[in-house]
Amino acid sequence: MKKPMDRQQVDAELQQVVELRHPEPHRVLGIHPDGDAMVVRAFRPDAVAIHVLPEFGGRVAMTHRLGGVYEARINGKTEHFNYLIEVEYPGNKKFTLRDPYSFLPTLGDIDLHLVGEGRHEDVWKRMGAHPIHHSGISGVAFAVWAPTAAGVSVVGDFNSWDGRLHSMRRMGASGIWELFIPEVAEGTRYKFEIRPGHGGTRLLKSDPYAFRTEVPPATASVVHDLNHFQWSDEKWMEARAGKNVDHEPWSVYEVHLASWRRVVEDGDRSLTYREMATALADYVKQTGFTHVELMPVSEHPFGGSWGYQVGNYYAPTARFGHPDDFRYLVNYLHEQGIGVLLDWVPGHFPRDAHALGQFDGTALYEHADPRQGTQPDWGTYVFNFGRNEVRNFLIANALFWLDEYHIDGLRVDAVASMLYLDYSRKHGEWVPNRWGGRENEEAISFLRELNDTVRRKFPGAVMIAEESTAWPKVSQPTQEGGLGFHFKWNMGWMHDTLTYYSKDPIYRQHHHNQLTFGLLYAFSEHFMLPLSHDEVVHGKGSLLGKMPGDNWQKRANLRALLAWMWAHPGKKLLFMGGEFGQPAEWNNDRSLDWHLLGDHGHAGIRAMMTDLNRLYRSHPALYDADSEPFGFQWLQPDAAAANVFAFVRRSRQPGGHVVCIANLSPVPRENYRVGFPRHGSYVELLNTDASDYGGSGLGNKGRIHTEPQGWDGQDASATLTLPPLSVVWFTPG
């Protein structure tokens, strides 16, 4: 049993409490044995009187001891008992409350050990703010990591944002501070007031693990219980777990929530999460996409960053509603058979004063050395991937979205910026690794651990890398020296393809290899083909705007581009607006131009997109061997003068194949011979020049018959009509 402190020692520690620099205020505040009595102490510096109200009855006045600390001695009691304190402030204002310093810690040694080792995979269940019942009393357990702080307090609506009233206790050497505050309710706003160990200005920080925030530009965290929402997507989740993602169709519709569709009649506001659920699900089902990918939803202070400068990693943005409203959106999409991917940003974070930067007055989540800790392109901080607690924070965050929000996968932003120490830096502006190289070994280790953990805990969920360099084995297993992602965005394909399609057809014969070169490396990774938001902003113009020619030619070229993409090996991703030929460059502050669907040309592009997705999903040859060389064979790769390409896609299932032929010149090709894999009848699955799509209607009347004449290395061939600026698909039938 601990020996009680003498009065001098108590006074010394109480002085630390008054000065807000006591690392463990529970040692002297709250209830403590003192010989044949119990002593209750409370720190209420502005009070004029305080009384203790013991559970066994009575009302005991507390006397002022020093600097706002009050004390009462309860004689004849030697065991702890529950009590309330009644605090009177000037003006006869009285409040009765439970004493937070009368409760034991809510964190155990195992939690602290796992956090310190970086292995607490569900750390969000312990850190942050959690409504709980503790010793039979309802309240909120707060915990925050601030290892160099001299003191930390919880401030909020419940204490008039007064950092003197709820100082936290430091949990040993873990650097974690903890406090249970009774009778705080869900929905309460709060922050952490941090007093840096080196002195200086107190910091007011939002909770890194907050599940909910105020609507920006306000920055307070909000107490939220994750256990209310009732999911009803069990069938989706069970089916997902049993799928081999490589062999499934992936047609992803990328969406920016704030600007997809707006309510013009109500101040041109964005849709809420719940409004988005039905509107987006109906539209995605109509157009046939398999998944939506939402640009970052984690709370971010500046809307113009599109979510890529995250302030609160564990909270969906409050701009569109409550966290359970976002769950409703995911749940509803799943019920409608639509997968949900999130853009996730572990590479960097903003400098906003309330957020993670210099969190406890030191470089905590970031590197201290600006050559390692800052990202020059975006003016942001870079995570310190070598620090256990930081790795734990990020890996657990990925698991959090997959677990608590049933997300089907994460697209990891800017992976290249993480892999290279010299990313976007000049000579002398970066620190080499221990071997003198430019590879960020800590980030590589982090990504491998992240992907292995996701694969182990969430079968069927996917990790997708936006990686723009030739880093090897991005989407290969870590056991084989890879990074462990499921898919990698094929940025080379995107660049070459858009360059080719943007050329006037008269020059395309000189750029023929930009559509063929990608097949030299198409099976080196598990690729996703992206035509993302990055290609339709910052002066780049829309997809339609990139196309050459007059309006008719632009639309024909765009239809051909989309059909080429959907036939090409690799999973598909298209940014919103591309599916109907949005002519204006994307503006994050305004809605897409939905009125254009009243025009036959734009409606035709969307009608073709709907057919593309339907045909893609119904023909395994177009998706089930995306990453295997046998799934693709050139028929005509070298017809540069004619601007013609022909290839065949083959399925893992016996006999299944689709022939794709592109005439990307502005003139029709009559009686054009192409080799086919078999002799017999073929159905024209798709013709991008169909009149229903806004084309000229030139084609092959829906069916062709091949002849037993060898051509293009095949045993059969056919003479075809190839419409101008078109792509045509055929399948046996």
Side-chain angles (χ1 to χ4, degrees):
M1 184 175 179
K2 277 188 178 181
K3 180 181 177 182
M5 291 184 281
D6 60 31
R7 187 172 183 84
Q8 186 176 4
Q9 184 180 0
V10 170
D11 281 346
E13 295 205 20
L14 288 176
Q15 187 61 39
Q16 287 183 293
V17 169
V18 171
E19 295 172 1
L20 303 181
R21 58 184 180 86
H22 199 302
E24 196 176 347
H26 294 69
R27 279 172 49 86
V28 287
L29 298 181
I31 184 168
H32 299 274
D34 186 15
D36 60 353
M38 298 296 290
V39 173
V40 177
R41 301 189 190 95
F43 178 46
R44 289 277 160 169
D46 294 332
V48 296
I50 306 181
H51 289 80
V52 178
L53 310 178
E55 63 181 352
F56 46 79
R59 187 169 181 270
V60 181
M62 303 183 78
T63 59
H64 184 261
R65 181 159 180 173
L66 62 87
V69 176
Y70 289 76
E71 179 180 276
R73 182 179 178 87
I74 315 296
N75 292 315
K77 298 292 182 182
T78 58
E79 300 290 337
H80 283 69
F81 54 83
N82 292 330
Y83 62 93
L84 301 174
I85 57 174
E86 180 188 86
V87 185
E88 181 180 347
Y89 288 101
N92 199 32
K93 296 176 181 178
K94 294 183 180 180
F95 301 89
T96 301
L97 47 89
R98 294 191 181 274
D99 185 359
Y101 298 100
S102 65
F103 292 88
L104 294 172
T106 57
L107 293 175
D109 290 341
I110 293 178
D111 291 311
L112 303 178
H113 175 75
L114 290 175
V115 170
E117 287 198 341
R119 296 190 298 108
H120 205 313
E121 292 179 350
D122 55 358
V123 65
W124 72 87
K125 296 180 180 179
R126 309 298 289 151
M127 299 292 288
H130 296 271
I132 63 170
H133 280 81
H134 187 33
S135 300
I137 304 300
S138 65
V140 175
F142 293 93
V144 65
W145 180 54
T148 73
V152 181
S153 296
V154 187
V155 295
D157 294 330
F158 50 89
N159 63 9
S160 301
W161 300 85
D162 188 337
R164 299 173 297 173
L165 301 184
H166 289 96
S167 291
M168 306 177 79
R169 71 173 130 209
R170 181 179 176 125
M171 302 297 291
S174 68
I176 294 173
W177 299 76
E178 180 272 350
L179 184 65
F180 174 75
I181 304 180
E183 299 170 340
V184 171
E186 186 173 6
T188 300
R189 299 181 306 153
Y190 72 98
K191 284 187 177 182
F192 294 114
E193 182 181 285
I194 297 175
R195 296 174 285 282
H198 55 66
T201 306
R202 297 174 187 174
L203 307 173
L204 200 58
K205 294 287 189 176
S206 61
D207 180 1
Y209 288 91
F211 301 141
R212 183 181 168 195
T213 69
E214 290 185 285
V215 178
T219 58
S221 304
V222 179
V223 175
H224 176 65
D225 190 339
L226 286 171
N227 299 312
H228 295 322
F229 188 79
Q230 296 296 312
W231 292 93
S232 56
D233 62 348
E234 297 84 2
K235 289 183 179 179
W236 171 271
M237 298 297 286
E238 290 171 7
R240 189 193 78 182
K243 291 180 178 179
N244 183 325
V245 298
D246 281 333
H247 302 157
E248 293 293 319
W250 285 75
S251 172
V252 182
Y253 186 57
E254 187 188 20
V255 173
H256 179 250
L257 288 171
S259 61
W260 179 69
R261 184 178 294 171
R262 288 181 172 242
V263 185
V264 179
E265 312 79 57
D266 190 7
D268 199 36
R269 67 169 175 83
S270 302
L271 297 178
T272 66
Y273 289 128
R274 287 183 179 261
E275 290 171 333
M276 179 70 74
T278 50
L280 184 59
D282 289 348
Y283 186 75
V284 170
K285 285 181 70 176
Q286 176 188 350
T287 48
F289 290 93
T290 63
H291 294 72
V292 296
E293 179 181 309
L294 305 179
M295 291 169 68
V297 300
S298 299
E299 191 60 88
H300 47 284
F302 176 49
S305 78
W306 313 329
Y308 289 100
Q309 295 193 10
V310 178
N312 296 90
Y313 275 77
Y314 286 81
T317 179
R319 290 170 173 85
F320 315 119
H322 186 278
D324 283 350
D325 296 334
F326 180 62
R327 281 172 151 170
Y328 179 90
L329 167 61
V330 176
N331 188 70
Y332 190 85
L333 288 167
H334 282 174
E335 289 183 325
Q336 302 304 310
I338 300 164
V340 183
L341 309 176
L342 284 190
D343 235 335
W344 188 60
V345 192
H348 62 111
F349 58 94
R351 296 172 178 264
D352 296 73
H354 73 279
L356 295 177
Q358 296 285 304
F359 188 79
D360 65 353
T362 65
L364 191 57
Y365 288 88
E366 70 273 28
H367 280 279
D369 189 331
R371 295 175 299 170
Q372 298 171 289
T374 59
Q375 176 49 255
D377 279 354
W378 306 303
T380 51
Y381 288 121
V382 177
F383 282 105
N384 182 351
F385 300 110
R387 192 160 193 172
N388 288 345
E389 295 88 348
V390 174
R391 291 164 66 102
N392 201 154
F393 174 81
L394 289 171
I395 290 174
N397 184 246
L399 302 179
F400 166 83
W401 290 108
L402 302 176
D403 186 356
E404 301 287 357
Y405 285 88
H406 290 199
I407 298 302
D408 299 298
L410 302 175
R411 175 265 195 186
V412 183
D413 177 65
V415 170
S417 74
M418 301 164 67
L419 293 174
Y420 298 97
L421 295 166
D422 63 345
Y423 183 86
S424 197
R425 298 176 189 275
K426 299 175 183 177
H427 180 72
E429 295 179 346
W430 57 283
V431 179
N433 63 29
R434 56 182 171 163
W435 313 108
R438 59 199 286 254
E439 300 80 13
N440 188 334
E441 294 181 305
E442 293 170 345
I444 295 165
S445 173
F446 160 74
L447 290 170
R448 287 173 171 163
E449 182 182 355
L450 166 70
N451 290 324
D452 280 347
T453 305
V454 169
R455 286 175 181 267
R456 170 171 53 84
K457 292 182 71 76
F458 295 97
V462 300
M463 299 296 289
I464 304 164
E466 185 214 11
E467 202 288 303
S468 54
T469 74
W471 188 279
K473 298 185 176 182
V474 170
S475 59
Q476 302 302 325
T478 58
Q479 307 92 293
E480 299 174 13
L483 293 182
F485 286 95
H486 295 84
F487 300 120
K488 170 182 171 172
W489 272 20
N490 194 335
M491 308 296 280
W493 173 90
M494 175 275 298
H495 176 78
D496 288 347
T497 301
L498 290 181
T499 299
Y500 179 92
Y501 272 89
S502 68
K503 300 294 182 185
D504 188 295
I506 196 173
Y507 302 115
R508 284 178 174 173
Q509 62 179 309
H510 306 297
H511 297 270
H512 198 78
N513 68 324
Q514 289 188 297
L515 291 194
T516 60
F517 177 70
L519 274 303
L520 296 178
Y521 61 84
F523 312 108
S524 62
E525 298 276 6
H526 301 265
F527 279 122
M528 181 171 282
L529 310 181
L531 293 179
S532 74
H533 65 278
D534 277 330
E535 312 319 316
V536 294
V537 75
H538 295 325
K540 296 178 183 178
S542 66
L543 284 184
L544 184 69
K546 296 178 193 296
M547 301 297 107
D550 60 22
N551 283 339
W552 190 96
Q553 291 170 322
K554 285 179 180 293
R555 293 170 181 174
N557 272 298
L558 179 58
R559 295 193 303 268
L561 166 62
L562 294 172
W564 173 267
M565 175 180 179
W566 254 246
H568 194 285
K571 311 307 181 187
K572 327 299 178 188
L573 179 138
L574 181 66
F575 183 59
M576 63 184 200
E579 78 280 7
F580 63 82
Q582 165 99 4
E585 182 178 274
W586 173 51
N587 182 337
N588 61 276
D589 288 325
R590 60 184 295 267
S591 175
L592 295 180
D593 294 326
W594 294 106
H595 66 278
L596 292 174
L597 289 172
D599 174 86
H600 178 64
H602 292 284
I605 296 171
R606 190 179 69 172
M608 187 204 70
M609 189 75 252
T610 300
D611 285 346
L612 278 179
N613 279 325
R614 174 179 56 80
L615 295 169
Y616 172 67
R617 297 172 76 163
S618 60
H619 288 78
L622 294 172
Y623 64 78
D624 72 356
D626 270 329
S627 301
E628 299 168 81
F630 77 80
F632 176 91
Q633 183 183 359
W634 279 116
L635 299 174
Q636 290 190 18
D638 299 321
N643 294 345
V644 170
F645 304 80
F647 59 83
V648 60
R649 293 295 311 277
R650 288 192 170 86
S651 172
R652 298 168 60 85
Q653 303 173 23
H657 66 272
V658 172
V659 174
C660 173
I661 306 169
N663 172 24
L664 302 180
S665 72
V667 297
R669 303 290 179 189
E670 302 282 354
N671 298 315
Y672 193 91
R673 184 170 291 275
V674 178
F676 277 74
R678 61 182 283 277
H679 174 51
S681 178
Y682 276 79
V683 174
E684 188 178 78
L685 279 180
L686 179 89
N687 179 348
T688 65
D689 192 51
S691 55
D692 286 349
Y693 303 153
S696 64
L698 190 64
N700 298 278
K701 298 181 179 179
R703 183 176 295 275
I704 62 168
H705 294 274
T706 64
E707 306 167 7
Q709 178 181 348
W711 201 266
D712 294 330
Q714 304 298 303
D715 294 333
S717 61
T719 56
L720 310 170
T721 296
L722 301 180
L725 301 174
S726 69
V727 171
V728 187
W729 294 358
F730 297 95
T731 193

